[in-house]
Amino acid sequence: MGHGQGQDRPDTRTRIQDAATVLFRRNGYAGTGLKQIAAEADAPFGSIYHFFPGGKQQLTEETIRTAGAAYSRMVLALLDSLADPVESVTHAFATAADDLEATGYADACPIATVALEVASTNETLRIATADVFAEWVAAGEQWFARWVPDPGTARSLAQSLIMILEGAFVLSRAARDREPLRAAGRSMAALLRSAIEEAGRPSA
């Protein structure tokens, strides 16, 4: 599994959460068992209940929130990697396509698989996924507001970014093809370019 040795090896709780993130992302909530998580984390089975007394649901909720925050930071770092915002958006989608292809089309959004699965079946986990999506929209709105001063437009762009990305992940994973993600990047870049141009026009 590529864990470091000695001081570099993550603590047991971190290994459990990291393993859960990968497995929930790939297999969903129902398709992932605690024994599978313990084996992937190279941790004793009982340690899951030591760190997560609420069992699978508590572990899943904390994993959703932790992985969601980490993914947001990663996307924002990608968006900040180029000076031109339109180029940054295209670059972010292209990077997502490269990363998805590199994992054999297995690792896409860290919470979408669970979000779809629990939306009507588990209120605690539904709320966790809804909170993460809301945080992503708020972070995206702040980023877009740097180029599009109207708050409503910035929020709409943030929502579009997430919706287009998630839809593209589904198509790319199903087809095992990176092109839907690249096409999605071009679409999102066009939306942003249009909004920036509109913001720069004098009011009537």
Side-chain angles (χ1 to χ4, degrees):
M1 284 175 48
H3 290 311
Q5 299 297 317
Q7 295 287 348
D8 294 328
R9 184 176 170 86
D11 63 62
T12 303
R13 192 182 200 283
T14 299
R15 294 203 315 278
I16 290 169
Q17 274 207 291
D18 288 348
T21 298
V22 171
L23 292 170
F24 288 139
R25 181 197 307 238
R26 294 184 176 186
N27 305 326
Y29 181 68
T32 301
L34 292 181
K35 288 183 180 177
Q36 190 181 7
I37 292 170
E40 181 75 13
D42 191 21
F45 179 75
S47 63
I48 292 179
Y49 286 96
H50 172 73
F51 292 109
F52 304 94
K56 186 177 179 181
Q57 178 168 288
Q58 183 188 354
L59 171 58
T60 307
E61 181 179 8
E62 292 195 29
T63 298
I64 286 167
R65 295 185 184 279
T66 302
Y71 195 69
S72 178
R73 290 192 296 271
M74 184 194 76
V75 171
L76 288 171
L78 269 177
L79 291 174
D80 280 335
S81 63
L82 298 174
D84 181 270
V86 176
E87 290 179 6
S88 284
V89 165
T90 306
H91 171 65
F93 276 82
T95 301
D98 291 344
D99 290 348
L100 186 61
E101 184 180 48
T103 65
Y105 296 91
D107 290 352
C109 169
I111 69 163
T113 304
V114 172
L116 287 171
E117 194 178 2
V118 303
S120 302
T121 59
N122 187 311
E123 187 67 1
T124 298
L125 299 182
R126 181 198 68 76
I127 290 170
T129 59
D131 287 347
V132 168
F133 283 130
E135 288 161 8
W136 289 359
V137 171
E141 182 179 347
Q142 283 190 320
W143 189 83
F144 284 112
R146 288 151 61 180
W147 293 277
V148 181
D150 177 65
T153 303
R155 181 173 180 79
S156 178
L157 286 166
Q159 291 171 325
S160 295
L161 176 69
I162 295 163
M163 292 184 289
I164 290 171
L165 180 63
E166 296 293 358
F169 274 140
V170 173
L171 267 64
S172 282
R173 290 186 75 186
R176 298 183 71 80
D177 184 358
R178 50 193 280 152
E179 181 52 30
L181 271 163
R182 298 177 74 86
R186 293 191 293 270
S187 296
M188 189 64 224
L191 279 177
L192 177 55
R193 186 182 298 111
S194 177
I196 291 171
E197 289 171 357
E198 184 66 29
R201 293 191 188 111
S203 301

